[in-house]
Amino acid sequence: MASIEYNQVTQSVAHPAIGPVQPEVSDLVGIARRGWLFVIGGILFGLVCAMLLLSAMPPVYKASSRIAFEKTLARYMQTNKVSNEPIIDDYDTFGQTYVISSEAILLQAIRSLGLASDPNFVGEKNTGGVSSRIRGLFRNAAQALGFSKEPAASPRNDPEKIAFDNIVRDLTVTREDVPSVISIAFSLPDPVKAATIVNAIVDTYMEANIASKVSSTKVAGKVMQERVEELKQQAQDAERALFDFKAANKLVGSDQDTLSHGQIRVLGHSLVDARLALAEARARMERIAKDPNAAALLTPDNEQISRQRSELMDLSIRAKDIEKRVGKDHLAAVKLRTRMEEMREAIAEEQNRIAQSFKKDYELARTRYDELSAAVSGALSEEGESSKVLSQLRGLEKAADSLRTQYDRALQQLSEINRVDAQPSITPDARVLIRAAPPTQTEASKKRWLILAGGSIMGGVLGVGILLVRTFPFGVFRTSQQVTQATGLPCAVLPELSGADELASLRIGEYVLYWPYSRYSQTLRSIWANINIAQRETDSKVICVVSSSPGEGKTTVAVNLAAHFGLHSNTRVLVIDADFHRQSLTNRVTPDARIGFKEALEEPTALAKFVVRKERLNIDVLPCPASERLTNAAELLGTKEMEQLIEVARKTYDLVIVEAPPMAAVVDYRMIARHCSGFVFVVEWGKTSQRMVRECLSDTSVMLDRVHCVVLNKVDPTALKSIEHYKGNGFQNYYTDQRSA
């Protein structure tokens, strides 16, 4: 058997654990590079749609005014009793937006402008949007079927109500970024009338605000007057009850604070002071009894002890000095020691005197404390007789004083309110920042760039969406590197062909005959190189071409791979169509065959009788003609006759290529796989699910070790060029699509 060696053989790699592979950033960049026309086209489409929208929008002018709510002046006037009107806080300004758009304000503005007789606001106009029409249709249908209990809205006959509905639809009242500022806007084709309506609404609101303040002030004054009368009556009742109690207990004209009560207060303070003095005297007495020398600390201002201690210190120093000079027995040293003893006795006598004085102080403090305790006890016994009456008297006096104070305060507030009402100075809570002026630009012209930008963005998103639909990068295979990472197998890339002549020759296996130097043919040589190496190492003769699902191109790969073997070597090649279900290879290569694979299984030793010779391709084909689909295809492939047939083919031919049914569709491949020494697994670019490939390869782990390569079929040539841009432009110079004679 002659063989040819090529340098484009893809080396095998160790099989890692089969798992999902996600696209890398470079893959996404490649998709964006290949599909930039879709994005540009989407942006242009969005711009065209935006322009059409701008041209279709009616010329509408929006006039707007702004009002601001001020609290500083109102609070100043309240503080200085100039005004008694309420203040609108920040949290109330949001509610004012509903007040401005209420019927009370808008109907008054409608009457002031006479809009009830304006045909632009009263005439029948079909200005509702599509969404409002749809909502109305569903609402009416629900009411007709009885699903909604709300009564059907009857058309309004009042011109003012009709004008109100039309104004509310085009009126916009919003609170600005600053909580105290409200914007009022109205849209209308007539700019002058739009500004007039906005100003009328603002003026009406300001007038209503002032009127509300006046009404609130009057109500507050009335409520305060009623409160003053009520407090006056309560104060009179309390005074009358106090006078009656004094008269009943003979307390009229007497001082409420009795002598006994005054004594208790004075004696109570004196008793506390006496208790403290007693504690201090006892502490001094106990301290000096334990340590007589503490007298100097307890009486630091005693000059006699301080002087005596100083003299004793001087005598001690002089005695030590004389003893060093003349000795202890000298007369001067003896006199000094005698003088020191006398001084110590004097200090001890003084300390004893101080201790006796502390003891006397303690006795005096004890006597004072006992006297005060007795006095307090006597006063308390005397006070107990009148305490109940005095307690009731104090309660009545306190109640009367409290009501009198409340009455005086309320009377003062009422006088202030009356003074303010006599000289009214009502100030509105809001002031107009900007009055509405007739706008010079339509809303469409103001939002032109925004609409164009939004249209271009939406168009770009649409283009990206179409691009992702066409080249969805997740869950499928886009590059040979993804296939190798997911399966651990070498991968060959077959580009998709588009020419009519190329497709026709490709279907019947004659493509390599006319385009021997194309990228497709060179890839077939790479696959052949892998098979050739396997034949040298393991004597692999039976190769099965299989895929996970139908339509991935395994028939095309099988017949063209066989043609390459037959045309470019002396290899005797047999192609077996083992697909009893679709017979794609038979319909393409040998459409006139009447007998074939099924009959060969009945006579496996007579294989030559059922083989069809294709001289142009230098291959033999064992077709599989069948008038109807077989129900026992798997059983036929699992018989001993199938094993004998493959054995006869192995002895007769140098290479046997078997096209098996899809792995995910039927189980026929399991019966075929045990007779095959190698496999070529076909995967369609951008369509075959990674999950399906993983399931098929994981389900037949024995087959995984015998797969020579995975063929990534039908790769988009433009995408392939983008994916392989890192190889440079010279890489493509070795391929040519020129047809040979």
Side-chain angles (χ1 to χ4, degrees), residues 270-540:
S270 300
L271 182 63
V272 172
D273 296 339
R275 185 183 294 112
L276 294 176
L278 177 63
E280 292 177 355
R282 182 171 57 187
R284 288 196 299 268
M285 181 184 68
E286 292 176 352
R287 175 73 181 277
I288 201 168
K290 294 179 180 179
D291 184 12
N293 294 325
L297 298 176
L298 297 176
T299 56
D301 54 348
N302 193 314
E303 297 180 356
Q304 183 176 353
I305 292 179
S306 299
R307 179 174 53 77
Q308 289 175 348
R309 286 182 179 276
S310 178
E311 291 180 1
L312 179 63
M313 183 68 66
D314 293 339
L315 292 173
S316 176
I317 294 172
R318 291 171 56 191
K320 290 180 180 180
D321 184 48
I322 291 174
E323 288 177 355
K324 288 180 180 180
R325 294 180 180 179
V326 297
K328 295 182 179 182
D329 298 331
H330 194 272
L331 181 61
V334 173
K335 288 182 178 181
L336 287 175
R337 282 197 299 272
T338 304
R339 179 62 180 163
M340 290 173 61
E341 290 297 330
E342 294 175 353
M343 191 62 64
R344 289 190 182 97
E345 292 176 358
I347 292 173
E349 291 177 358
E350 183 64 21
Q351 289 177 346
N352 187 31
R353 186 189 66 78
I354 293 173
Q356 293 298 325
S357 66
F358 283 167
K359 186 176 181 181
K360 292 180 180 180
D361 292 340
Y362 171 73
E363 292 175 352
L364 292 175
R366 184 68 186 181
T367 303
R368 175 65 175 167
Y369 176 75
D370 294 340
E371 293 176 353
L372 288 174
S373 297
V376 170
S377 299
L380 287 176
S381 61
E382 183 180 352
E383 178 70 12
E385 299 175 357
S386 60
S387 59
K388 184 176 181 180
V389 175
L390 293 177
S391 177
Q392 294 179 359
L393 180 63
R394 292 191 192 96
L396 292 174
E397 289 178 344
K398 186 180 296 184
D401 292 341
S402 176
L403 290 173
R404 192 182 303 110
T405 302
Q406 294 181 24
Y407 171 71
D408 294 340
R409 187 182 301 113
L411 189 63
Q412 183 181 2
Q413 292 180 356
L414 180 61
S415 63
E416 292 174 354
I417 292 176
N418 294 332
R419 181 174 58 84
V420 172
D421 291 340
Q423 299 177 352
S425 58
I426 301 297
T427 58
D429 289 321
R431 68 184 182 92
V432 181
L433 297 179
I434 302 176
R435 292 190 65 84
T440 58
Q441 291 183 338
T442 63
E443 286 300 296
S445 63
K446 293 179 181 179
K447 301 178 180 178
R448 180 186 297 110
W449 296 112
L450 180 62
I451 294 175
L452 292 176
S456 61
I457 292 174
M458 295 300 295
V461 172
L462 177 62
V464 172
I466 296 174
L467 177 61
L468 290 178
V469 170
R470 286 176 53 88
T471 59
F472 190 72
F474 300 96
V476 295
F477 293 107
R478 292 286 177 182
T479 63
S480 58
Q481 289 81 4
Q482 289 181 346
V483 176
T484 301
Q485 291 176 9
T487 63
L489 299 170
C491 178
V493 178
L494 285 177
E496 185 178 20
L497 304 179
S498 57
D501 295 340
E502 293 178 328
L503 291 175
S505 61
L506 190 67
R507 286 177 56 84
I508 60 178
E510 295 181 358
Y511 180 82
V512 295
L513 184 63
Y514 297 111
W515 287 274
Y517 303 109
S518 65
R519 173 68 181 268
Y520 195 97
S521 298
Q522 294 295 337
T523 303
L524 291 177
R525 290 186 176 89
S526 298
I527 300 172
W528 175 88
N530 281 346
I531 297 175
N532 184 268
I533 293 174
Q535 285 181 326
R536 290 185 177 185
E537 295 177 353
T538 62
D539 193 22
S540 177

Side-chain angles (χ1 to χ4, degrees), residues 100-141:
I100 294 174
S101 58
S102 63
E103 282 192 1
I105 302 297
L106 296 184
L107 288 178
Q108 189 172 351
I110 290 172
R111 296 188 188 102
S112 64
L113 297 177
L115 299 180
S117 59
D118 192 336
N120 293 326
F121 295 93
V122 181
E124 294 292 336
K125 296 191 299 179
N126 189 15
T127 56
V130 176
S131 59
S132 62
R133 297 179 191 176
I134 295 176
R135 288 195 300 270
L137 179 62
F138 279 105
R139 188 185 305 111
N140 295 334

